[in-house]
Amino acid sequence: MHIESIRLLLVEDNDLDAKYITRVFARTDMMQATIVRATSLSDALSKLEVASFDVILLDLGLPDSNGLQSIREIRERSPSTPIVVQTGDDHRETGFQAIAAGAQDFLSKNDLKDHLLTRVAVHAILRQKQLIEVQEASLRDSMTGIANRRRCDIEFQKQLDIAARMGTPFCVAIADIDHFKSINDCGGHDLGDRVIKEVAQVLHNTCRAKDMVARIGGEEFALIFPDTSIDELASLLQMHRRSAEQLEIEGYDHNITVSIGATYVLSSDDNRSAFSRADEALYSAKDDGRNQCKIQPAIRPVLSTQIA
Ligand code: GH3
Ligand code: MG
């Protein structure tokens, strides 16, 4: 990995230190650095509001904030930008605490030598890139490229919190490919895999920008519909069901169909209770002949409602 240019936010209230650091980055042949200086935490936060940076070099002793609080506030404003902390003392403990608070690395001000300073900044950027790649991969289903169960769990909790805070309706569903075993039996595992990928893609394309589809099992997908009423839900489910039905798979002459079970999410629900209600509706859709959508009402003991 190589870096040609960086945008650095230098959060430093001391003019002499700022001048020195700016000179170090101007002299290096490692890369081209554009430096924007902030002289306080509030100045840094407002600069982060309007521009993005590759790395933040942060002095821990600022006029309006001291120590680790600066790291926490900057992390909150810009969670994916790496922070290198400059500690005014030689206490290692401060550095370790800075890393525990979310900084990528720390340098004592006594160590601000040319090579060390530029190298630490570049390494922090590279490590952060790798970290983000790993984090993203851990939330993606490797076969289909869509979200995986872990990402689905995170999104569910996020949407549950939003629904509770804003009072907006929120629904979830599970879609499962019908008679998938016979697709495998007829065309082998490769055909089966191809069908899973195509269905994942078509469900993903059918989602509105705010929705999410995740692969949560072999041929099973979870759908999350934020800010969606039961009335809207019925037609959304039908769109998903039809989109799968219209798929044409090379080398497979039969229709691909999915059954979908869904439910409205209550504020008292958690991930497990909401999806198990959707699962009950899915079973009922399968029992009733497949290629259909059902909604399990959230309030019992009403029976599930067929909508297709
Ligand atoms: P139903 O209509 O009731 O959903 O029946 P089905 O045949 O779709 O479901 P069943 O649970 O009987 O079979 C699912 C099969 O999917 C069994 C398993 O071997 C296969 N499978 C699970 N994961 C994968 C995968 O990643 N790729 C392929 N090709 N097959 C898979
Ligand atoms: Mg199935």
Side-chain angles (χ1 to χ4, degrees):
M1 272 200 269
H2 181 67
I3 290 186
E4 287 193 349
S5 63
I6 64 167
R7 276 180 59 76
L8 182 147
L9 178 64
L10 174 60
V11 191
E12 174 61 77
D13 61 323
N14 182 304
D15 288 342
L16 277 179
D17 286 347
K19 247 186 221 156
Y20 174 73
I21 291 167
T22 307
R23 240 183 291 124
V24 167
F25 278 93
R27 272 203 303 261
T28 183
D29 56 3
M30 215 171 170
M31 48 33 203
Q32 187 83 31
T34 306
I35 297 184
V36 174
R37 183 181 167 200
T39 52
S40 64
L41 178 63
S42 56
D43 188 13
L45 293 176
S46 46
K47 289 196 159 97
L48 284 166
E49 191 77 48
V50 292
S52 65
F53 296 90
D54 299 303
V55 64
I56 299 163
L57 197 52
L58 173 68
D59 177 15
L60 281 192
L62 293 168
D64 58 347
S65 169
N66 226 308
L68 307 178
Q69 189 55 27
S70 310
I71 302 176
R72 293 196 192 99
E73 291 198 33
I74 287 180
R75 287 270 300 165
E76 207 165 289
R77 181 67 52 92
S78 183
S80 55
T81 312
I83 301 169
V84 174
V85 160
Q86 312 162 60
T87 55
D89 51 47
D90 260 334
H91 294 147
R92 277 198 208 158
E93 197 50 39
T94 317
F96 292 134
Q97 283 171 355
I99 287 182
Q104 270 277 0
D105 212 338
F106 66 93
L107 278 170
S108 155
K109 281 202 171 176
N110 300 333
D111 284 338
L112 295 185
K113 313 227 166 41
D114 294 24
H115 279 84
L116 192 57
L117 183 55
T118 49
R119 195 159 11 102
V120 164
V122 167
H123 286 184
I125 295 171
L126 294 175
R127 270 201 307 274
Q128 184 74 2
K129 275 194 176 145
Q130 286 170 337
L131 185 69
I132 289 172
E133 278 169 21
V134 170
Q135 277 171 346
E136 283 176 358
S138 76
L139 299 173
R140 217 181 307 121
D141 173 53
S142 58
M143 185 168 123
T144 60
I146 66 170
N148 63 13
R149 185 186 283 274
R150 200 161 153 245
R151 173 89 176 79
C152 175
D153 291 347
I154 295 169
E155 185 67 15
F156 178 90
Q157 197 51 51
K158 182 178 148 198
Q159 294 305 336
L160 188 66
D161 294 344
I162 292 175
R165 211 170 48 245
M166 314 292 285
T168 46
F170 166 35
C171 299
V172 295
I174 301 180
D176 183 281
I177 305 176
D178 296 326
H179 300 302
F180 183 70
K181 199 169 169 313
S182 63
I183 300 174
N184 267 344
D185 292 345
C186 153
H189 231 253
D190 283 353
L191 174 69
D193 283 2
R194 225 162 8 101
V195 169
I196 291 173
K197 285 185 221 168
E198 295 270 356
V199 170
Q201 202 52 54
V202 87
L203 295 177
H204 179 74
N205 294 344
T206 307
C207 280
R208 302 165 299 176
K210 60 185 172 184
D211 302 337
M212 172 190 271
V213 60
R215 183 173 178 227
I216 56 166
E219 22 87 68
E220 199 174 38
F221 303 88
L223 290 148
I224 290 182
F225 300 108
D227 194 9
T228 302
S229 68
I230 279 277
D231 297 338
E232 287 175 279
L233 177 65
S235 62
L236 289 170
L237 297 180
Q238 289 299 356
M239 274 167 49
H240 281 282
R241 188 191 61 77
R242 275 197 296 272
S243 70
E245 201 175 26
Q246 282 158 9
L247 265 178
E248 286 180 14
I249 308 282
E250 211 186 308
Y252 188 68
D253 291 339
H254 309 282
N255 267 7
I256 305 291
T257 63
V258 297
S259 298
I260 309 180
T263 192
Y264 183 86
V265 181
L266 298 170
S267 57
S268 56
D269 270 322
D270 59 15
N271 195 326
R272 190 188 288 250
S273 61
F275 278 108
S276 77
R277 238 176 9 253
D279 213 30
E280 282 174 32
L282 172 63
Y283 270 96
S284 161
K286 294 274 184 189
D287 275 351
D288 279 7
R290 294 172 172 79
N291 191 21
Q292 54 189 288
C293 314
K294 288 212 181 189
I295 297 174
Q296 179 77 24
I299 298 144
R300 287 152 193 278
V302 190
L303 292 173
S304 64
T305 328
Q306 177 164 348
I307 57 168

